[in-house]
């Protein structure tokens, strides 16, 4: 057992895995050569799907990854998080994992590898901490917490396993395990180490400096020759024993993932096999009673539905009954026709009866025949009304039958009792998902400009944001449409209720998560829009800034799974522009006739103009995001240049406001100098006037810059200033937190003060 030397930033277990200490670790190049590609089909029982984050449908199925085996000490025992089993005995190793889809590293796996004697309480505490990290993925695939590469390196310093994580992230090719040669396994994306990263990575060691190996450990390969390129370890000829070991390691890696998934899966209830196989078809009884009061004949149909065990949680929510209600309308229409036919035979009789009654009424001014027609119509209306009620009830019962035979699934409801409503929709319903710094004012402008009779359905994971929004609009509670604003219970609810859905989300993972919920394969297709809707189909407008590839994938999923349209429309103008409705939208929208005048383009443009002043059609799907990334790369660099120019002029003795006025009337003018100037008073309403609060957060600028760099690598474009700009925003975010990105100026200013003090000393 190895004690920790450095003081951690948070409580961490005291005992490290001694096999990971530098003096006992293999050579760095040897670690690189020992990585392998693996593939695991993550699966749980059918009735466990969706019971936790790890068992969501989108988090199951094939998972491609790179892994690196780490050893445990000999005679390893006494661990809570790596239990001894009677079948397999004590564990001898564990695995560091990096998934191929996005390069994220299993941070929870890093912890278990570095601190094998940790207690369950310590593991839970660290997982809770990992979930708070900015780059932590929201999807707990295989029950693991996954983080971006740079964050993994930072954690590796906390865990004292930097060489191991550095090797896992190395850009040298990763080989497949011998038994996986015939499989198609994707490789994680290449990670480019920053200058700061490289200072923490160990230099290659010579053979002489390599410590003696433990008994039982396979002999190490010799160090690469000086003529070999760094990061390209010499390939070894695979012996039969090495192949067997590789196969065993790959199977063990897959088993470790499946075991982690099992631990993250809630236990099933103690039902018997017979109960699990019981029929899932609901039974329902229909009882009819007829009551005649004078001329009114009322027929009441009562439908009693008996749901088998486990189906109670699948009764649809109120907002999910639109399709059922539409079916009920068809039943009502059939009842109307039936009633019209049956009333013909009794028309003459009813007229005669009413004529006799009318002779006895003194002073009645209606003629007998007319009186008969009036009463007959009244009777017909009553019959149709009550048949309609039966139609609705019967259709709901049929809907429940369909649900019981493989229809809707989802998270269990606390109660089987639901309320149903057939209230007609307003003239149009709009949806808005994401009420962050940009989305909040955009949604406010949208609500202010759409007709008062229209309804706006909103959703955000932050309930405080939705509360503030509805308070500003005067809405009292979720579901209240008194002022045309309604809080939905989920992203899916927004999509089901709305004709146009706008999403404004911070990260690619958030966008994928939202559309994963909306298009969940275990949910039924989105219901068709009501016949009264003026829209031909649903329209999804994503104003988030994500990578074009992810956006195109989401567009394809929307178009293939529902009669809906998806466009990407990221915006420029910042929070100032969002509040003033002066944003510029960069639109990626297919144009069927090739000249930009397609029907979809004509439909999308007026919607965006409710929240901005300009819409630029960049091309087909993903083109809007391509334009956005190019624009934001320029913005990232020009923001730093503006801060440096202002700092330079002020250091040379110029008046700050006079300098800003000069720049904004000269060739140096840009958005960062004119609209978002970092000098207080230079740009009215800019974040600089509020201590850099609000605005476009440094972390989001850093995220956009990272997306631009990633796109540049994929396309082969050279970005000479990107790396230094990325380093600047990393430092600014560390020191300034979530301030507006124009706070770069204050960071520079403080660096100047520090340099001056250092010179004075």
């Amino acid at each position: 057992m190895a004690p920790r030397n450095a003081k951690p930033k948070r409580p961490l277990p005291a005992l490290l895995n001694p096999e990971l200490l530098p003096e006992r670790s293999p050579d760095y190049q040897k670690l690189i050569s020992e990585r392998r590609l693996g593939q695991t089909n993550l699966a749980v029982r059918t009735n466990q799907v969706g019971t936790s984050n790890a068992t969501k449908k989108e988090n199951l199925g094939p998972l491609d990854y790179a892994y690196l085996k780490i050893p445990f000490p000999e005679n390893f025992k006494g661990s809570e998080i790596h239990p001894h089993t009677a079948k397999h005995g004590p564990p001898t190793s564990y695995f560091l994992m990096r998934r191929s889809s996005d390069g994220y590293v299993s941070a929870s796996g890093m912890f278990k590898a570095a601190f094998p004697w940790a207690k369950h309480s310590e593991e839970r505490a660290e997982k809770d901490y990992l979930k708070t990290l900015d780059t932590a993925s929201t999807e707990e695939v295989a029950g693991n917490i996954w983080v971006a590469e740079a964050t993994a390196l930072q954690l590796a310093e906390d865990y004292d396993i930097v060489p191991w994580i550095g090797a896992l992230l190395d850009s040298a090719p990763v080989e497949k395990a011998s038994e996986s040669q015939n499989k198609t396994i994707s490789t994680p994306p290449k990670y480019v180490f920053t200058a700061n990263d490289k200072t923490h990575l160990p230099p290659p060691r010579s053979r002489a400096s390599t410590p003696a190996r433990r008994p039982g450990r396979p002999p190490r390969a010799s160090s690469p020759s000086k003529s070999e390129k760094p990061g390209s370890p010499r390939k070894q000829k695979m012996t039969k024993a090495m192949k067997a070991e590789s196969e065993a390691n790959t199977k063990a890696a897959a088993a470790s993932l499946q075991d982690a998934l099992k631990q993250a899966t809630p236990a099933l209830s103690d039902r018997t096999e017979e109960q699990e196989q019981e029929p899932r078809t609901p039974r329902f009884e229909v009882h009819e009673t007829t009551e005649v009061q004078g001329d009114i004949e009322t027929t009441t149909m009562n439908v009693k539905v008996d749901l088998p065990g486990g189906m109670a949680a699948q009764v649809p929510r109120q907002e999910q009954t639109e399709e059922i209600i539409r079916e009920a309308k068809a039943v009502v229409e059939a009842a109307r026709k039936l009633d019209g036919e049956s009333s013909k035979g009794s028309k003459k009789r009813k007229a005669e009866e009413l004529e006799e009654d009318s002779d006895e009424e003194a002073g009645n001014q209606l003629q007998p025949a007319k009186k008969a027609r009036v009463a007959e119509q009244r009777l017909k209306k009553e019959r149709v009304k009550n048949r309609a009620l039966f139609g609705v009830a019967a259709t709901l019962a049929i809907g429940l039958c369909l649900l019981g035979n493989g229809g809707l699934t989802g998270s269990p409801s606390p109660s089987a009792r639901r309320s149903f409503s057939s209230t007609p929709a307003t003239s149009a319903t709009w949806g808005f998902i994401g009420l962050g710094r940009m989305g909040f004012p955009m949604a406010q402008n949208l609500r202010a400009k759409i007709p008062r009779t229209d309804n706006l359905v909103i959703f955000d994971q932050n309930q405080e944001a939705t509360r503030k929004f509805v308070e500003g609009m005067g809405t009292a509670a979720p579901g209240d449409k008194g002022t045309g604003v309604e809080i939905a219970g989920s992203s899916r609810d927004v999509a089901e209720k709305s004709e146009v859905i706008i999403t404004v989300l911070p990260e690619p993972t958030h966008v994928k998560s939202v559309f994963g919920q909306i298009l969940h394969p275990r949910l039924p297709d989105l219901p068709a829009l009501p016949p009264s809707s003026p829209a031909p189909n649903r329209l999804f407008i994503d104003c988030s800034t994500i990578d074009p590839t992810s956006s195109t994938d989401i567009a394809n999923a929307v178009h293939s799974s529902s009669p809906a349209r998806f466009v990407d429309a990221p915006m420029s103008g910042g929070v100032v522009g969002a509040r003033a409705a002066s944003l510029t939208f960069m639109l990626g929208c297919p144009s069927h006739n090739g000249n930009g005048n397609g029907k979809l383009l004509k439909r999308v443009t007026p919607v965006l103009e409710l929240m901005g002043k300009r819409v630029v059609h960049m091309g087909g799907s993903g083109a809007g995001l391509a334009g956005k990334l190019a624009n934001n790369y320029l913005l990232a660099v020009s923001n730093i240049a503006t801060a440096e120019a202002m700092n330079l002029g002020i250091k040379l003795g110029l008046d700050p406001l006079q300098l800003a006025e000069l720049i904004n009337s000269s060739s140096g003018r840009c958005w960062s100098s004119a609209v978002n100037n970092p000098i207080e008073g230079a740009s009215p309403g800019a974040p600089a006037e509020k201590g850099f609060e609000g605005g476009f957060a440094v972390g989001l600028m850093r995220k956009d810059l990272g997306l631009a760099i990633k796109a540049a690598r994929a396309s082969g474009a050279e970005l000479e200033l990107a790396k230094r700009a990325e380093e600047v925003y990393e430092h600014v975010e560390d020191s300034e937190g979530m301030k507006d990105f124009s706070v770069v100026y204050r960071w520079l200013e403080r660096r100047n003060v520090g340099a001056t003090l250092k010179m004075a000393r």
Side-chain angles (χ1 to χ4, degrees):
M1 302 182 187
R4 290 183 53 83
N5 296 321
K7 292 183 179 180
K9 299 177 182 177
R10 61 195 176 283
L12 287 174
L15 299 177
L16 287 164
N17 182 352
E19 300 301 315
L20 303 186
L21 295 177
E23 61 269 21
R24 301 184 71 169
S25 297
D27 180 84
Y28 185 65
Q29 299 299 326
K30 173 68 172 174
L31 290 177
I32 293 174
S33 69
E34 290 182 345
R35 300 170 305 165
R36 292 291 183 270
L37 292 176
Q39 185 181 81
T40 301
N41 186 32
L42 301 172
V44 295
R45 295 175 63 176
T46 303
N47 51 356
Q48 291 176 318
V49 175
T51 57
S52 67
N53 187 311
T55 60
K56 291 180 179 178
K57 178 70 174 179
E58 60 269 26
N59 292 340
L60 300 176
L63 173 68
D64 293 355
Y65 51 88
Y67 69 85
L68 178 60
K69 178 184 177 181
I70 62 102
F72 282 154
E74 291 183 1
N75 301 318
F76 174 60
K77 58 184 178 180
S79 172
E80 290 187 10
I81 61 175
H82 299 286
H84 177 115
T85 62
K87 181 178 180 181
H88 300 290
T92 59
S93 60
Y94 200 64
F95 298 88
L96 299 173
M97 300 278 188
R98 185 181 180 216
R99 63 189 187 192
S100 300
S101 59
D102 53 12
Y104 275 36
V105 178
S106 170
S108 51
M110 290 171 56
F111 177 84
K112 295 182 73 171
F115 305 104
W117 288 280
K119 298 182 181 299
H120 286 308
S121 58
E122 293 172 320
E123 182 187 24
R124 285 193 297 268
E126 184 66 5
K127 277 191 172 184
D128 290 341
Y129 167 77
L130 295 174
K131 291 177 183 178
T132 67
L133 299 177
D134 291 340
T135 67
S137 174
T138 55
E139 307 99 351
E140 297 179 18
V141 177
N144 284 246
I145 309 299
W146 303 83
V147 299
E149 298 96 324
T151 304
L153 282 170
Q154 294 170 4
L155 290 170
E157 291 192 42
D158 291 344
Y159 300 167
D160 291 339
I161 56 171
V162 172
W164 294 79
I165 297 303
L168 184 66
L169 298 178
D170 196 271
S171 60
V174 185
E175 297 181 10
K176 293 181 183 178
S178 57
E179 78 283 0
S180 301
Q181 293 300 319
N182 296 327
K183 292 183 180 179
T184 301
I185 305 178
S186 58
T187 304
K190 288 186 178 181
Y191 177 72
V192 179
F193 291 98
T194 65
N196 184 57
D197 293 336
K198 292 178 180 177
T199 61
H200 298 283
L201 297 177
R205 293 202 306 252
S206 65
R207 179 185 296 272
S209 65
T210 303
R213 59 185 175 88
R214 286 192 298 108
R217 177 180 289 185
R220 295 173 181 154
S222 60
S223 302
S225 66
K226 293 182 179 180
S227 62
E228 290 178 317
K229 295 182 180 179
S232 301
R234 180 186 302 167
K235 291 186 177 180
Q236 292 180 301
K237 184 177 180 180
M238 293 287 286
T239 65
K240 188 174 182 180
M242 293 172 67
K243 288 182 179 179
E245 182 183 8
S246 175
E247 292 178 7
N249 289 342
T250 301
K251 291 179 180 178
S256 70
L257 284 172
Q258 193 65 44
D259 183 62
L261 174 60
K262 182 179 179 181
Q263 294 178 24
T265 304
L268 291 171
S269 59
D270 298 327
R271 296 193 304 166
T272 64
E273 191 68 24
E274 290 76 11
Q275 287 174 316
E276 290 187 4
Q277 296 178 357
E278 66 179 358
R280 295 187 55 79
T281 303
R283 300 186 298 273
F284 58 94
E285 301 174 3
V286 180
H287 301 280
E288 176 179 330
T289 59
T290 303
E291 181 180 356
V292 179
Q293 294 182 349
D295 296 332
I296 306 300
E297 177 185 303
T298 303
T299 300
T300 303
M301 300 288 184
N302 293 318
V303 181
K304 178 181 178 182
V305 182
D306 183 16
L307 297 178
M311 273 194 64
Q314 296 181 358
V315 179
R317 299 188 298 273
Q318 177 174 342
E319 58 271 23
Q320 292 175 317
T321 62
E322 294 178 3
E323 185 63 35
I324 296 176
I325 294 300
R326 276 191 288 276
E327 294 176 11
K329 289 181 179 178
V331 176
V332 172
E333 184 62 30
R336 192 191 312 276
K337 294 179 179 179
L338 179 62
D339 187 82
E341 294 172 358
S342 63
S343 64
K344 291 179 181 179
S346 61
K347 184 174 182 179
K348 184 175 181 180
R349 179 180 58 81
K350 286 295 180 182
E352 292 173 350
E353 292 175 355
L354 291 171
E355 183 176 356
E356 293 175 357
D357 294 338
S358 66
D359 290 340
E360 299 175 0
E361 296 178 3
N364 191 342
Q365 297 179 0
L366 291 175
Q367 296 297 321
K370 188 174 183 179
K371 176 72 174 180
R373 286 195 300 272
V374 172
E376 182 183 4
Q377 290 171 358
R378 191 191 327 158
L379 178 62
K380 180 179 179 181
K381 288 180 180 179
E382 290 295 327
R383 283 178 172 172
V384 171
K385 177 181 178 181
N386 288 286
R387 285 181 182 273
L389 294 176
F390 166 70
V392 172
T395 307
L396 290 176
I398 294 169
L400 290 173
C401 290
L402 296 175
L403 293 175
N405 287 288
L408 178 67
T409 62
S411 301
S413 165
S415 171
R417 298 181 62 186
R418 299 288 185 188
S419 59
F420 299 92
S421 171
S422 58
T423 305
T426 51
S427 57
T429 305
W430 307 70
F432 205 104
I433 302 172
L435 299 176
R437 292 183 178 180
M438 294 292 291
F440 196 100
M442 290 171 65
Q444 285 181 319
N445 286 324
L446 179 66
R447 175 60 271 182
K449 294 181 180 180
I450 60 178
R452 292 175 61 87
T453 54
D454 286 4
N455 189 41
L456 177 64
V457 184
I458 61 172
F459 177 74
D460 193 287
Q461 291 285 2
N462 182 1
Q463 296 182 1
E464 182 66 13
T466 56
R467 184 187 65 79
K468 287 183 178 179
F469 189 91
V470 296
E471 281 182 355
M473 294 294 174
T475 306
D480 180 5
K481 302 181 182 179
T483 55
V485 179
E486 178 184 358
I487 300 177
S490 67
S491 301
R492 170 79 182 195
D493 292 344
V494 176
E496 288 182 350
K497 293 180 177 181
S498 308
E499 298 155 9
V500 177
I501 301 96
I502 300 166
T503 48
V504 184
L505 301 162
E507 297 275 357
T509 54
H510 300 141
V511 180
K512 292 178 181 178
S513 176
V514 163
F515 280 92
Q517 294 171 24
I518 292 174
L519 305 175
H520 198 293
R522 293 186 66 85
L523 292 175
D525 293 340
L526 289 171
L529 297 177
S532 59
S533 172
N537 47 41
R538 277 186 181 79
L539 172 62
F540 292 94
I541 303 176
D542 183 33
C543 298
S544 314
T545 300
I546 62 176
D547 59 287
T549 301
S550 294
S551 181
T552 301
D553 290 342
I554 294 171
N556 292 336
V558 170
H559 298 159
S560 63
S561 62
S562 63
R565 303 299 298 169
F566 176 97
V567 300
D568 54 286
M571 62 280 183
S572 178
V575 175
V576 175
R579 290 171 181 160
S582 60
L583 297 169
T584 294
F585 290 93
M586 290 148 268
L587 179 58
C589 170
S591 178
H592 298 295
N593 54 10
N595 59 11
N597 295 319
K599 291 181 179 179
L600 183 58
L601 182 63
K602 290 181 178 179
R603 182 183 175 192
V604 174
T605 300
V607 175
L608 296 176
E609 288 175 342
L610 296 172
M611 301 171 289
K613 67 177 182 180
R614 191 178 181 204
V615 179
V616 182
H617 182 219
M618 302 300 296
S621 181
L625 283 162
K628 168 70 172 182
L629 295 183
N631 177 80
N632 273 29
Y633 171 72
L634 178 59
L635 175 62
V637 175
S638 64
N639 177 67
I640 296 174
T642 297
E644 291 179 325
M646 295 301 299
N647 184 57
L648 172 64
I650 292 170
K651 292 297 179 184
L652 293 174
L654 298 178
D655 177 77
L657 297 181
Q658 209 168 24
L659 174 60
E661 183 178 358
L662 168 67
I663 291 175
N664 291 328
S665 60
S666 305
S667 57
R669 186 183 190 278
C670 62
W671 185 89
S672 293
S673 68
V675 179
N676 207 48
N677 197 290
I679 300 299
E680 185 176 356
S683 299
E689 297 192 340
K690 297 170 289 185
F692 299 96
E693 293 293 339
F696 189 54
V698 179
L700 294 178
M701 183 74 264
R702 179 182 171 190
K703 180 263 296 184
D704 287 4
L705 180 58
L707 290 174
I709 293 172
K710 182 179 178 181
R713 289 182 190 138
S715 62
E718 290 291 333
L719 300 178
E720 293 295 336
L721 302 179
K723 191 169 187 59
R724 180 55 187 151
E726 189 174 38
E727 292 173 354
V728 168
Y729 284 113
E730 286 175 359
H731 292 311
V732 174
E733 186 178 18
D734 289 341
S735 63
E736 298 288 351
M738 295 300 291
K739 303 289 187 181
D740 178 76
F741 75 124
S742 61
V743 79
V744 167
Y745 171 80
R746 189 166 75 183
W747 174 75
L748 285 171
E749 198 176 32
R750 289 175 175 173
R751 289 187 67 194
N752 289 336
V753 172
T756 302
L757 292 174
K758 186 176 181 180
M759 291 176 63
R761 288 196 296 267

